[in-house]
Amino acid sequence: MNIVNFSDLPTVGQAVANNPSGIIIGNRIPRSYFITTGAGESDITIHAGSYHLALRDAGIEMANIMTYSSILPGIAIETPKPDRKQIVHGSVMESIMAVSHVEKGEQANAGIIFGWLHDRKTDERYGGLVCEHDGNYGEEQLHKNLNDSLEELYVNGFEEEFYLKDAYTITKSFVPKKKHGTALVSLCFTDYIYPVIG
């Protein structure tokens, strides 16, 4: 094994840049995900208060959360939610998440809807569309917004080649008694495929 000193890094880096070798990988593809929800309230603040406590209620407070936009790969599969001891403290957890922050007495509503696109000719699953909504407007309006958004995504770009089926909705609502409240719903990814392209 070659050991490189920090002082040698600029030289080593230049050598690699001038004569690269190795494998070429494409963008990683999220594969396994689990679904979780949570709610939290705090008299102190949102970010290090009600939001953190909502993450704790969801069982993912020990991770550093990163959020995606609203696309699921065709290979994505749902897995059971892991025990909190299975998540490494400080690890990165990438997710598609809806988060609603409200004040005392307001209703926090967070929701996600997703469905699967299937090829009209082959029936093969192509991928998923996901929509997130949050607010303090009640469950009925939340469901309407989620369904309307999914329909809009589908009609604008996918309707001609694919049909959409198996739509599934997850919501979380509550009214905080403390100054700040947070409700969240999340699809959390646990593993990825790295395609080798060269």
Side-chain angles (χ1 to χ4, degrees), residues 1-34:
M1 180 172 74
N2 293 332
I3 298 175
V4 178
N5 293 321
F6 282 109
S7 59
D8 295 332
L9 284 177
T11 305
V12 171
Q14 188 59 46
V16 170
N18 290 339
N19 188 22
S21 62
I23 61 171
I24 301 171
I25 59 172
N27 292 341
R28 61 196 171 95
I29 305 168
R31 190 183 70 118
S32 303
Y33 67 90
F34 65 89

Side-chain angles (χ1 to χ4, degrees), residues 38-186:
E41 56 187 338
S42 170
D43 281 324
I44 302 170
T45 189
I46 294 172
H47 185 71
S50 62
Y51 175 58
H52 175 81
L53 294 172
L55 291 173
R56 176 170 175 73
D57 188 41
I60 55 175
E61 82 284 356
M62 73 298 293
N64 285 300
I65 306 298
M66 295 179 66
T67 55
Y68 287 169
S69 56
S70 306
I71 299 294
L72 277 172
I75 63 165
I77 54 171
E78 184 179 350
T79 59
K81 179 180 170 182
D83 182 271
R84 61 183 357 108
K85 293 179 181 178
Q86 295 175 279
I87 301 172
V88 177
H89 184 87
S91 60
V92 173
M93 178 166 289
E94 297 169 346
S95 67
I96 300 174
M97 183 179 286
V99 182
S100 175
H101 302 298
V102 297
E103 299 301 312
K104 180 179 180 179
E106 297 178 330
Q107 186 178 54
N109 302 108
I112 287 177
I113 187 171
F114 64 97
W116 295 100
L117 296 166
H118 288 255
D119 189 286
R120 289 189 181 276
K121 294 178 181 176
T122 67
D123 199 41
E124 183 178 351
R125 189 166 90 171
Y126 176 74
L129 299 177
V130 189
C131 297
E132 316 90 70
H133 268 280
D134 63 84
N136 61 351
Y137 37 60
E139 282 275 339
E140 185 177 346
Q141 187 63 47
L142 177 64
H143 280 272
K144 182 180 187 310
N145 290 349
L146 288 167
N147 282 286
D148 288 350
S149 290
L150 184 62
E151 179 68 13
E152 184 175 64
L153 286 186
Y154 172 59
V155 169
N156 289 282
F158 299 101
E159 186 177 33
E160 290 184 10
E161 279 188 78
F162 307 98
Y163 62 90
L164 183 67
K165 72 175 196 175
D166 300 327
Y168 184 64
T169 304
I170 316 105
T171 63
K172 182 71 174 183
S173 298
F174 92 116
V175 178
K177 296 178 181 177
K178 295 185 177 181
K179 186 176 179 182
H180 305 285
T182 300
L184 66 84
V185 175
S186 187

